[in-house]
Amino acid sequence: MDSPSDDVVEYVYSFLGGPQQTARPDELGGPVTIRHLPLKSGPDRLSVRAIDRSGRSSTSTTYGIWVKAGRAPVAHWTLSDAAGATSAAAETGPVARAGSGVAFGATAPRGTQLAAVAGLDGSSHAFLTPDVPVVDTGRTFAVSAWARPARTDRNMAVAGQDAGSSAAFELGLRTRDEGPVWSFTVGGARITGGAPETGEWAHLLGLYDKETGRAQLYVNGHEVGTRTEATPAETAGAFQIGRSRNGDGYRDRWHGEVGDVRAYDRVVAPAEITELAYRRPTLLGHWSLETATDGVSPEQGGKAPLALGPGASIHRGPDGTCLPELDPDCPFVPYPLVGDGHLQLDGETGYAATESAVVDTSDSFTVGVVVRLADAEPAAPMTVLSQAGEHTDAFKVRYDPSVHAWQLVMPQRDEAGAPEVVVSQIEAADGGEGQGHRLAVVYDDATDRIKLYLDGHTNADATAALPDGWHSSGVLQVGRAKAGDGWGEYLHGDVDEVQAYAGALRDGDIGGLGRGTDPCLC
């Protein structure tokens, strides 16, 4: 920034949608250089005005900018090569030679575009390398990968690059007394965070920004640990997958699966990192509850149906053959919650259930439902959805009239009386009127968080930490919950549009639940 005026003391500037900032020249009337990092591609705009010693402002000058998309990785190996291959083909960059401890064709993380990944056995032969450097550690760089450890009781490297007899950087897993953590080491600086679990996939990304001199670590799309000042070694050695350089040899050999290894020569923006770590949920079941034949209501895609118990029935809306406004003898038939019908439950024995478990409650899952309570002042808690283990429900969604709220209840163990994590949304009971409410439950195993959504929205009271979800083998229940050796909390009201997904739906997708169709998981 510069001005023809010789008494400018500062420049006031802003980028499109950003805050107003100030830059001061080193000398009166001199120019100023600023550094700016755009975090998304597309149009941007810089507006600048000069301020003189008297406080007078020049007119604003605006510059249009078009930010291009970020450059592709300098090296990228999906590791989806055919079983028996002895090297990994590169999407970009050089081919990576594979040691004999590498087996291609392992199962890829669900919900990604990977067809397969590589399994490494943790031996001295478990590595892949192009035998050349792929990033310039004297400049900005980033490295990312999907990783699933087969063990967490020792230090293990997912990826790194040699620097003489040591490693310029290492992305991987470190053991500590309080438990294992993911880590990114650059020079002598280390950032740690997240909690690796044996057999569980995680997306890792380590970033060193030369401009700021700091290193950062992202786990499953979220920044963890504390950004740390770092000085990487600039000696350029070979890039490594599954091991880290130490003196004349290697250490920290990876035991588990690795896939989609990428190396960049630029900053990877937060939105990009979120997208790299995204696992698209899979629809497990969608029950529209519009019909029932012999007490069974079908699933839209032909999967396991819902069997209706005593006290449960399908209500059908008016069929148009009889119009009360024209014929006084025509009975009034209320419209269903969604579509042509919904499930009615009597609050005493009524329920519906699948024939087997639907969601894996030890992994990320999402369930949604539309529900309307028949009573304005329910006498006791009532459950709309649950899935049980041997001794208690792995989760249940219920209305508790004592606090006038919908609740998500998730016990921490499959034990009667186990401590429970409870989140809630305050809402008055329906009293049989209106179109009910759209409820959704999300358990995100990657971030160890649970959320309860009411009509598409959540809040601080409706989200909480849940470090370890446990696997339940019980069937999906609609309208009741486990109570001792039997069942209780029967729902009195109407239920519609039950949907279940493997994976955690994002906030923007939740609004599509309960609409009669499946949301666009974009």
Side-chain angles (χ1 to χ4, degrees):
M1 307 171 191
D2 201 0
S3 169
S5 175
D6 59 5
D7 64 347
V8 169
V9 295
E10 66 182 21
Y11 296 91
V12 177
Y13 68 96
S14 64
F15 288 90
L16 182 65
Q20 186 168 273
Q21 301 181 74
T22 300
R24 296 179 178 274
D26 293 333
E27 297 180 359
L28 182 66
V32 168
T33 298
I34 63 168
R35 304 287 286 169
H36 175 63
L37 175 65
L39 294 179
K40 61 182 180 179
S41 60
D44 203 348
R45 186 178 65 225
L46 171 63
S47 297
V48 186
R49 55 191 178 91
I51 309 296
D52 68 11
R53 285 184 293 180
S54 300
R56 294 176 299 180
S57 172
S58 71
T59 58
S60 181
T61 300
T62 299
Y63 299 87
I65 305 166
W66 186 271
V67 182
K68 296 194 297 183
R71 293 187 299 275
V74 292
H76 179 195
W77 303 274
T78 64
L79 304 185
S80 299
D81 304 85
T86 58
S87 63
E91 302 294 304
T92 57
V95 170
R97 172 175 60 91
S100 59
V102 176
F104 293 102
T107 302
R110 173 187 46 78
T112 68
Q113 296 183 348
L114 296 173
V117 295
L120 283 67
D121 65 11
S123 70
S124 60
H125 304 289
F127 67 89
L128 298 103
T129 179
D131 293 310
V132 295
V134 296
V135 296
D136 181 354
T137 54
R139 305 175 62 120
T140 295
F141 69 89
V143 60
S144 70
W146 281 101
R148 180 167 67 175
R151 57 192 299 177
T152 57
D153 60 349
R154 74 179 194 191
N155 298 336
M156 297 194 295
V158 174
Q161 186 164 288
D162 298 348
S165 60
S166 63
F169 66 88
E170 179 188 313
L171 180 68
L173 180 156
R174 308 294 295 185
T175 59
R176 301 191 306 186
D177 291 341
E178 56 269 37
V181 290
W182 296 112
S183 74
F184 181 47
T185 303
V186 179
R190 176 175 294 137
I191 308 98
T192 60
E197 295 182 34
T198 300
E200 182 176 297
W201 281 105
H203 185 269
L204 312 176
L205 186 141
L207 167 66
Y208 170 70
D209 186 350
K210 176 69 173 180
E211 192 72 28
T212 65
R214 293 183 175 182
Q216 302 166 239
L217 173 62
Y218 292 80
V219 177
N220 293 317
H222 301 270
E223 187 172 1
V224 298
T226 302
R227 298 185 186 189
T228 302
E229 297 283 345
T231 305
E234 297 186 15
T235 305
F239 190 85
Q240 305 290 338
I241 300 172
R243 64 183 183 179
S244 181
R245 186 74 181 183
N246 181 35
D248 294 332
Y250 292 92
R251 64 178 181 183
D252 299 349
R253 302 177 188 279
W254 184 260
H255 186 191
E257 286 78 45
V258 179
D260 202 37
V261 179
R262 304 178 185 223
Y264 298 84
D265 63 350
R266 61 175 176 86
V267 169
V268 184
E272 292 181 275
I273 299 171
T274 299
E275 196 60 33
L276 285 171
Y278 180 57
R279 298 176 65 179
R280 184 185 178 94
T282 302
L283 180 66
L284 299 174
H286 182 176
W287 297 270
S288 56
L289 297 167
E290 295 186 345
T291 61
T293 303
D294 297 328
V296 174
S297 188
E299 193 275 332
Q300 282 192 358
K303 300 173 185 175
L306 280 169
L308 277 57
S313 61
I314 297 295
H315 166 78
R316 296 283 297 176
D319 59 10
T321 59
C322 185
L323 301 176
E325 60 268 25
L326 300 179
D327 183 355
D329 296 326
C330 182
F332 172 72
V333 179
Y335 284 94
L337 293 177
V338 182
D340 296 328
H342 65 231
L343 177 68
Q344 285 185 324
L345 301 172
D346 65 2
E348 297 178 0
T349 60
Y351 74 96
T354 55
E355 59 188 17
S356 60
V358 174
V359 296
D360 178 359
T361 53
S362 67
D363 201 353
S364 299
F365 70 87
T366 302
V367 294
V369 66
V370 179
V371 58
R372 178 175 60 198
L373 300 177
D375 306 309
E377 296 183 4
M382 296 185 293
T383 292
V384 60
L385 290 176
S386 67
Q387 185 169 300
E390 183 178 352
H391 303 288
T392 188
D393 292 304
F395 78 89
K396 65 180 176 181
V397 185
R398 71 177 185 180
Y399 187 79
D400 186 346
S402 68
V403 292
H404 308 287
W406 286 102
Q407 296 178 330
L408 166 61
V409 181
M410 296 190 70
Q412 296 179 6
R413 298 184 298 275
D414 188 8
E415 299 175 5
E420 297 174 333
V421 178
V422 181
V423 295
S424 61
Q425 294 253 37
I426 296 175
E427 183 67 33
D430 302 290
E433 299 180 350
Q435 290 301 303
H437 295 285
R438 294 179 294 114
L439 300 175
V441 169
V442 174
Y443 169 51
D444 189 348
D445 190 38
T447 58
D448 293 329
R449 302 291 293 178
I450 59 173
K451 293 182 180 180
L452 174 64
Y453 294 81
L454 176 67
D455 296 326
H457 301 286
T458 189
N459 55 48
D461 293 329
T463 182
L466 185 73
D468 296 301
W470 50 271
H471 179 75
S472 63
S473 56
V475 302
L476 181 67
Q477 301 281 343
V478 181
R480 66 180 185 178
K482 200 168 183 65
D485 295 330
W487 300 98
E489 295 191 0
Y490 283 90
L491 181 84
H492 186 203
D494 306 319
V495 179
D496 211 346
E497 293 298 317
V498 177
Q499 293 166 272
Y501 291 83
L505 263 66
R506 296 186 282 195
D507 289 348
D509 297 323
I510 291 294
L513 292 175
R515 304 293 189 183
T517 58
D518 297 315
C520 171
L521 305 179
C522 303

